[in-house]
Amino acid sequence: MSTAPDPAPTAPSAAPARARGRKGAERREALLDAAEEVLVAEGGPEWTMRAVAAAAGVRLGHLQYYFPTHAELVAAVLERVLRRSAERLAPLLAADDDTPGAASGVVTTLLAEQEDARLMRLFVEVWALAARDTTVAAAVRRFYGDYRTQVTAFLARRHPDLPEEERRARAGVFVMLVEGASLFRSGVAGERDPATDEALVRTALALLGP
């Protein structure tokens, strides 16, 4: 695929506002599906507007009607990826403080998600984009900031005796531990190991408290 810059958009920046209604929403989602597929299969350097249009089986102008610029397409894909992850995470961390097994449920579910190879590849590409694009980086930081806030609130409900600073510190380490583990457990930087997984779960649960 060509890595040449994409041409200037043929539609005005207000175009997405016109793409409303059920059909418009369905077409937009289909284009975002294609964009994700290109990102996962080809990686950031090949993630051009032309490549996405080709994967979706539409003309470049059709793609630009919904996403006039590459930046807007990137923002839309990123927002959807992070929103889906946040939606999966929120119910786990909203569990009542007396829910049996709440902490182990959080850890088990988060680690199970790391077995989804496609999801992990998508996040690796998003992280790579964030390293090169300040707008993407800002969105990723907001996502992980909210993630940490939710874990902090989870700890506050379960351990109100802990100082706020300690809760935030534990939450930060928990997020770093689980998210960092994804690089190794997904096969990107290593391979899963049962003994290591057991130690990982113990450490994560210790951060969330008994």
Side-chain angles (χ1 to χ4, degrees):
M1 294 181 184
S2 171
T3 57
D6 292 310
T10 57
S13 60
R18 301 199 302 271
R20 292 174 179 168
R22 182 175 60 82
K23 287 187 177 179
E26 289 174 352
R27 289 168 182 159
R28 186 176 188 276
E29 288 300 302
L31 293 171
L32 291 176
D33 287 342
E36 282 190 18
E37 290 301 325
V38 173
L39 182 58
V40 170
E42 305 293 341
E46 301 293 335
W47 199 34
T48 65
M49 296 283 276
R50 283 193 183 91
V52 172
V58 301
R59 297 190 180 198
L60 181 60
H62 179 83
L63 175 64
Q64 291 175 323
Y65 177 82
Y66 290 88
F67 308 101
T69 68
H70 187 265
E72 289 175 81
L73 176 63
V74 171
V77 169
L78 178 63
E79 189 275 334
R80 192 173 74 154
V81 170
L82 297 182
R83 184 184 71 242
R84 287 189 309 225
S85 185
E87 287 171 352
R88 290 190 296 268
L89 180 66
L92 300 174
L93 296 174
D96 293 334
D97 58 344
D98 58 351
T99 300
S104 60
V106 169
V107 175
T108 300
T109 302
L110 288 174
L111 295 185
E113 284 194 349
Q114 296 176 2
E115 297 174 16
D116 183 339
R118 184 185 181 283
L119 180 63
M120 288 301 100
R121 176 64 187 271
L122 195 57
F123 266 96
V124 168
E125 293 297 338
V126 166
W127 294 332
L129 284 170
R132 301 190 298 269
D133 187 308
T134 56
T135 301
V136 175
V140 171
R141 283 196 295 272
R142 285 194 299 273
F143 168 75
Y144 284 112
D146 183 62
Y147 185 170
R148 180 178 182 176
T149 297
Q150 290 185 62
V151 176
T152 302
F154 180 83
L155 284 168
R157 291 192 300 273
R158 294 177 61 81
H159 305 288
D161 54 312
L162 281 178
E164 175 66 14
E165 183 177 356
E166 174 65 16
R167 291 196 294 263
R168 281 193 56 79
R170 285 197 189 191
V173 175
F174 178 86
V175 172
M176 286 186 275
L177 175 70
V178 172
E179 294 303 297
S182 68
L183 286 172
F184 292 88
R185 298 182 75 253
S186 64
V188 174
E191 298 294 337
R192 288 186 59 191
D193 173 71
T196 303
D197 272 3
E198 288 181 10
L200 172 63
V201 171
R202 287 197 304 272
T203 305
L205 288 174
L207 288 167
L208 295 182

